[in-house]
Structures are given as C-alpha cells and as structure tokens.
Amino acid sequence: MPPNAVTRQAASVPTTDQLIDEGFEYAYYADELDLLGLLLRRAATADPDPLAEVRRTFGEDLAAVFAWHHEREHGFPTGSFAVAGREITMRWMDDGDPYDHQWQARLDEACTDGCSGPLWVKVTGAADLQSVYRGGAPDELWCDGCTSRSLG
C-alpha cells in the first residue's frame, strides 16, 4: 500500500465531535473505553447458564441432550439425559457447602432396605454415568425413603 494511502485514510477518520454532530449519541476513542468494566457489567447482569454445571461435569455432547425438570425432587434440582426414548434421571445435590455437592443418577432398582424410596448413586463424570447406564455396581447408594443416606 502506498504511504500516502495510509495518510489519506487516517485523515478521513472522523473525530468524536464530528460523529456526535452526525447524530451519534456517544463516541469514544478505543483507548478511552473501560473494557474490563463493560465486561464485568455484562457478566453481572447476564442470566446464569442453566447447563454450565452439566457441561463442566459431563461435556458438551451430554449437555446437548440434558433438560432440567420443572419440579424439584426432595428439594433438589432434577433433570434428565434423554436420547431416542432412553433416559437417565439426575439430580444436583447441593446443601450450600461449596465442597459438598454432587451429581446423582437415579437407579431403576428398589431400595435394598425394603422401603419404597428411589435409589440414587453419586456420579462424578461421564465414565461414572456410563457405568451406571450399563448396570455397574455403584459404591455409595442413597435412598430417599430411608433415614440413612448411605447404604451398602
């Protein structure tokens, strides 16, 4: 590009006053913008991503087939991974302690203590979920009907 072309282009960039005179409500030079402040304001007012924890734990593919249920089950948010008529029901157990929260998958089997409550098992990622889906033996079971939360 010829040097005079750059000079011509630079000279033709309007000033902020010229832009205001043309009808723009605001005009700023880029170095005057508080970009960090703009990003913080946008982040603070944005709706939270309802699938962020699903995506973080199970990945994009599974997040694409997950939907939250409208009702909570025993006070916990519940949802399902569903594909082609097959489904795994999940819940997010969070009692407010930042170190004590977990995903649980509902099992199809009945409580081993004889009550009618559904059985749940802790899952920490897609590999655990696959094991549960294939009928793998879970280590820690929770029953909503029993007073004890850990069985087995």
Side-chain angles (χ1 to χ4, degrees):
M1 179 178 294
N4 63 350
V6 174
T7 304
R8 259 192 340 266
Q9 287 177 346
S12 68
V13 173
T15 66
T16 55
D17 289 337
Q18 289 171 325
L19 291 171
I20 298 293
D21 289 344
E22 287 182 20
F24 286 92
E25 190 172 343
Y26 304 103
Y28 301 97
Y29 288 105
D31 63 348
E32 295 174 343
L33 295 175
D34 179 9
L35 295 177
L36 179 58
L38 291 171
L39 288 173
L40 290 169
R41 182 175 33 234
R42 186 168 65 186
T45 59
D47 289 332
D49 178 2
L51 295 177
E53 191 61 42
V54 175
R55 203 174 276 108
R56 183 175 20 262
T57 306
F58 301 105
E60 287 293 332
D61 290 341
L62 287 172
V65 297
F66 185 86
W68 288 105
H69 299 169
H70 294 290
E71 295 180 15
R72 292 174 167 251
E73 202 165 307
H74 292 280
F76 298 107
T78 306
S80 296
F81 294 104
V83 176
R86 296 185 182 209
E87 183 175 306
I88 299 175
T89 299
M90 304 290 296
R91 72 179 176 189
W92 176 245
M93 302 274 298
D94 185 358
D95 65 0
D97 181 342
Y99 301 105
D100 188 22
H101 53 268
Q102 61 186 306
W103 283 103
Q104 290 183 340
R106 186 166 53 203
L107 301 178
D108 292 331
E109 56 200 68
C111 177
T112 55
D113 283 356
C115 78
S116 62
L119 281 179
W120 297 85
V121 63
K122 178 180 178 180
V123 291
T124 60
D128 285 352
L129 198 57
Q130 181 182 29
S131 176
V132 168
Y133 182 72
R134 291 184 169 177
D139 292 333
E140 297 179 57
L141 297 175
W142 282 265
C143 176
D144 284 342
C146 297
T147 55
S148 172
R149 289 292 182 221
S150 183
L151 305 170

